[in-house]
Amino acid sequence: MKKFSALLVLLLILQFTSSIAQSSFIVNGVEIPRTLEFKGKTMSLNGFGQRSKLFMDLYVQALYVTQLSQDADLILNSQTEMAITLRITSGLVNSSKLTKALTKGMEKSVGESGMLKYAKELKELEYLLSTEETKVGDLFELTFNPLDESLWITKNKVYRGKIKGLEFKKAFYGIWLSENPVNKGLKEDLLGL
């Protein structure tokens, strides 16, 4: 009887803790899953936050990695699968403005002289982001694939293309994770600080 009671208590505890564990989070009405799949690999949510500018919420962002870390340099230099997701939450964000904002963020991250090095990749990014107009609710997944060292771009789960280069990935993710990110508070949120 004691074994049965102990087993019953254990089952109740396990059921209670699994119901408490969240499978996703909600930020500004946007659901952020705890995990993201890419090419058979599972990435875990490292952190998430809201990108705002001049009191306007622009997008909800999340960072997924294969190994959780609060070290931005470790993440930037990692050669494992990782993804940044952007869910557009403002009608003020269109394809052109998104491209400009990402370009400015990269310039802040790598400096004006560093931008010359990535001119070709930025043109590719602009093309991939502008093939269809961006609107509220659109979800971009910007996933690094270490097998071909490229940044894969998907919009609303539809593959748009990829941009080759480990160094480009570092500079691109540096928009949010470098020493000069577009927003220090968002960087801390993505790092789970």
mmCIF file of all heavy atoms in Angstrom, residues 153-171:
data_model
loop_
_atom_site.group_PDB
_atom_site.id
_atom_site.type_symbol
_atom_site.label_atom_id
_atom_site.label_comp_id
_atom_site.label_asym_id
_atom_site.label_seq_id
_atom_site.Cartn_x
_atom_site.Cartn_y
_atom_site.Cartn_z
ATOM 1 N N ILE A 153 16.656 32.744 -44.980
ATOM 2 C CA ILE A 153 15.583 33.706 -44.752
ATOM 3 C C ILE A 153 14.255 33.038 -45.083
ATOM 4 O O ILE A 153 14.063 32.546 -46.201
ATOM 5 C CB ILE A 153 15.732 34.951 -45.659
ATOM 6 C CG1 ILE A 153 17.155 35.481 -45.688
ATOM 7 C CG2 ILE A 153 14.701 36.018 -45.307
ATOM 8 C CD1 ILE A 153 17.659 36.152 -44.474
ATOM 9 N N THR A 154 13.340 33.004 -44.107
ATOM 10 C CA THR A 154 11.979 32.546 -44.381
ATOM 11 C C THR A 154 11.013 33.634 -43.939
ATOM 12 O O THR A 154 11.291 34.389 -43.002
ATOM 13 C CB THR A 154 11.620 31.227 -43.666
ATOM 14 O OG1 THR A 154 11.680 31.434 -42.257
ATOM 15 C CG2 THR A 154 12.559 30.105 -44.055
ATOM 16 N N LYS A 155 9.916 33.718 -44.649
ATOM 17 C CA LYS A 155 8.858 34.667 -44.296
ATOM 18 C C LYS A 155 7.559 33.888 -44.236
ATOM 19 O O LYS A 155 7.166 33.251 -45.216
ATOM 20 C CB LYS A 155 8.762 35.777 -45.339
ATOM 21 C CG LYS A 155 7.704 36.824 -45.021
ATOM 22 C CD LYS A 155 7.684 37.905 -46.082
ATOM 23 C CE LYS A 155 6.626 38.940 -45.782
ATOM 24 N NZ LYS A 155 6.532 39.926 -46.865
ATOM 25 N N ASN A 156 6.930 33.915 -43.079
ATOM 26 C CA ASN A 156 5.691 33.168 -42.864
ATOM 27 C C ASN A 156 5.861 31.700 -43.239
ATOM 28 O O ASN A 156 5.032 31.112 -43.925
ATOM 29 C CB ASN A 156 4.530 33.816 -43.620
ATOM 30 C CG ASN A 156 4.296 35.248 -43.171
ATOM 31 O OD1 ASN A 156 4.418 35.557 -41.988
ATOM 32 N ND2 ASN A 156 3.989 36.120 -44.105
ATOM 33 N N LYS A 157 7.002 31.140 -42.817
ATOM 34 C CA LYS A 157 7.359 29.723 -43.001
ATOM 35 C C LYS A 157 7.661 29.351 -44.460
ATOM 36 O O LYS A 157 7.798 28.184 -44.785
ATOM 37 C CB LYS A 157 6.271 28.798 -42.447
ATOM 38 C CG LYS A 157 5.990 28.974 -40.973
ATOM 39 C CD LYS A 157 7.150 28.509 -40.141
ATOM 40 C CE LYS A 157 6.843 28.634 -38.652
ATOM 41 N NZ LYS A 157 7.967 28.264 -37.831
ATOM 42 N N VAL A 158 7.786 30.345 -45.340
ATOM 43 C CA VAL A 158 8.132 30.088 -46.743
ATOM 44 C C VAL A 158 9.579 30.512 -46.961
ATOM 45 O O VAL A 158 9.948 31.668 -46.710
ATOM 46 C CB VAL A 158 7.195 30.861 -47.709
ATOM 47 C CG1 VAL A 158 7.630 30.675 -49.158
ATOM 48 C CG2 VAL A 158 5.757 30.425 -47.516
ATOM 49 N N TYR A 159 10.388 29.578 -47.442
ATOM 50 C CA TYR A 159 11.808 29.845 -47.695
ATOM 51 C C TYR A 159 11.947 30.883 -48.815
ATOM 52 O O TYR A 159 11.377 30.740 -49.881
ATOM 53 C CB TYR A 159 12.498 28.531 -48.094
ATOM 54 C CG TYR A 159 13.923 28.680 -48.558
ATOM 55 C CD1 TYR A 159 14.943 28.908 -47.649
ATOM 56 C CD2 TYR A 159 14.250 28.576 -49.910
ATOM 57 C CE1 TYR A 159 16.255 29.036 -48.071
ATOM 58 C CE2 TYR A 159 15.558 28.698 -50.338
ATOM 59 C CZ TYR A 159 16.552 28.927 -49.415
ATOM 60 O OH TYR A 159 17.849 29.064 -49.834
ATOM 61 N N ARG A 160 12.729 31.946 -48.559
ATOM 62 C CA ARG A 160 12.956 33.015 -49.544
ATOM 63 C C ARG A 160 14.328 32.928 -50.192
ATOM 64 O O ARG A 160 14.515 33.398 -51.301
ATOM 65 C CB ARG A 160 12.803 34.387 -48.882
ATOM 66 C CG ARG A 160 11.445 34.665 -48.333
ATOM 67 C CD ARG A 160 10.470 34.791 -49.449
ATOM 68 N NE ARG A 160 9.143 35.058 -48.921
ATOM 69 C CZ ARG A 160 8.073 35.054 -49.653
ATOM 70 N NH1 ARG A 160 8.137 34.811 -50.935
ATOM 71 N NH2 ARG A 160 6.905 35.274 -49.119
ATOM 72 N N GLY A 161 15.306 32.406 -49.467
ATOM 73 C CA GLY A 161 16.656 32.318 -49.996
ATOM 74 C C GLY A 161 17.659 32.320 -48.860
ATOM 75 O O GLY A 161 17.290 32.322 -47.684
ATOM 76 N N LYS A 162 18.940 32.298 -49.248
ATOM 77 C CA LYS A 162 19.982 32.298 -48.226
ATOM 78 C C LYS A 162 21.129 33.198 -48.657
ATOM 79 O O LYS A 162 21.332 33.459 -49.835
ATOM 80 C CB LYS A 162 20.471 30.883 -47.947
ATOM 81 C CG LYS A 162 21.072 30.171 -49.133
ATOM 82 C CD LYS A 162 21.405 28.741 -48.760
ATOM 83 C CE LYS A 162 21.849 27.938 -49.961
ATOM 84 N NZ LYS A 162 22.124 26.547 -49.628
ATOM 85 N N ILE A 163 21.859 33.653 -47.642
ATOM 86 C CA ILE A 163 23.015 34.517 -47.858
ATOM 87 C C ILE A 163 24.209 33.805 -47.241
ATOM 88 O O ILE A 163 24.207 33.503 -46.048
ATOM 89 C CB ILE A 163 22.801 35.903 -47.223
ATOM 90 C CG1 ILE A 163 21.535 36.548 -47.805
ATOM 91 C CG2 ILE A 163 24.020 36.783 -47.454
ATOM 92 C CD1 ILE A 163 21.101 37.797 -47.079
ATOM 93 N N LYS A 164 25.214 33.552 -48.048
ATOM 94 C CA LYS A 164 26.389 32.789 -47.594
ATOM 95 C C LYS A 164 27.318 33.659 -46.753
ATOM 96 O O LYS A 164 27.429 34.862 -46.977
ATOM 97 C CB LYS A 164 27.156 32.258 -48.803
ATOM 98 C CG LYS A 164 26.454 31.119 -49.487
ATOM 99 C CD LYS A 164 27.440 30.002 -49.670
ATOM 100 C CE LYS A 164 26.753 28.784 -50.200
ATOM 101 N NZ LYS A 164 27.003 27.642 -49.392
ATOM 102 N N GLY A 165 27.981 32.985 -45.806
ATOM 103 C CA GLY A 165 29.056 33.638 -45.077
ATOM 104 C C GLY A 165 28.910 33.643 -43.570
ATOM 105 O O GLY A 165 27.965 34.227 -43.045
ATOM 106 N N LEU A 166 29.843 32.995 -42.894
ATOM 107 C CA LEU A 166 29.884 33.000 -41.438
ATOM 108 C C LEU A 166 30.123 34.412 -40.911
ATOM 109 O O LEU A 166 29.501 34.839 -39.933
ATOM 110 C CB LEU A 166 30.981 32.050 -40.935
ATOM 111 C CG LEU A 166 31.206 31.979 -39.440
ATOM 112 C CD1 LEU A 166 29.956 31.496 -38.719
ATOM 113 C CD2 LEU A 166 32.398 31.082 -39.112
ATOM 114 N N GLU A 167 30.993 35.160 -41.567
ATOM 115 C CA GLU A 167 31.276 36.530 -41.121
ATOM 116 C C GLU A 167 30.047 37.432 -41.275
ATOM 117 O O GLU A 167 29.796 38.291 -40.440
ATOM 118 C CB GLU A 167 32.477 37.114 -41.879
ATOM 119 C CG GLU A 167 33.796 36.445 -41.527
ATOM 120 C CD GLU A 167 34.108 36.461 -40.037
ATOM 121 O OE1 GLU A 167 33.978 37.523 -39.404
ATOM 122 O OE2 GLU A 167 34.472 35.395 -39.497
ATOM 123 N N PHE A 168 29.282 37.212 -42.344
ATOM 124 C CA PHE A 168 28.046 37.979 -42.514
ATOM 125 C C PHE A 168 27.066 37.650 -41.393
ATOM 126 O O PHE A 168 26.409 38.531 -40.849
ATOM 127 C CB PHE A 168 27.394 37.731 -43.874
ATOM 128 C CG PHE A 168 26.078 38.448 -44.016
ATOM 129 C CD1 PHE A 168 26.044 39.821 -44.172
ATOM 130 C CD2 PHE A 168 24.882 37.752 -43.957
ATOM 131 C CE1 PHE A 168 24.829 40.495 -44.274
ATOM 132 C CE2 PHE A 168 23.667 38.408 -44.049
ATOM 133 C CZ PHE A 168 23.635 39.788 -44.213
ATOM 134 N N LYS A 169 26.954 36.361 -41.038
ATOM 135 C CA LYS A 169 26.065 35.970 -39.937
ATOM 136 C C LYS A 169 26.444 36.704 -38.659
ATOM 137 O O LYS A 169 25.589 37.230 -37.954
ATOM 138 C CB LYS A 169 26.125 34.450 -39.727
ATOM 139 C CG LYS A 169 25.240 33.915 -38.602
ATOM 140 C CD LYS A 169 25.808 33.951 -37.218
ATOM 141 C CE LYS A 169 26.798 32.920 -36.855
ATOM 142 N NZ LYS A 169 27.067 32.829 -35.410
ATOM 143 N N LYS A 170 27.743 36.749 -38.371
ATOM 144 C CA LYS A 170 28.199 37.435 -37.153
ATOM 145 C C LYS A 170 27.821 38.913 -37.194
ATOM 146 O O LYS A 170 27.326 39.469 -36.204
ATOM 147 C CB LYS A 170 29.711 37.310 -37.000
ATOM 148 C CG LYS A 170 30.182 35.917 -36.686
ATOM 149 C CD LYS A 170 31.705 35.905 -36.609
ATOM 150 C CE LYS A 170 32.289 34.518 -36.520
ATOM 151 N NZ LYS A 170 33.751 34.539 -36.477
ATOM 152 N N ALA A 171 28.049 39.559 -38.338
ATOM 153 C CA ALA A 171 27.725 40.983 -38.468
ATOM 154 C C ALA A 171 26.217 41.203 -38.391
ATOM 155 O O ALA A 171 25.744 42.147 -37.747
ATOM 156 C CB ALA A 171 28.281 41.524 -39.790
#
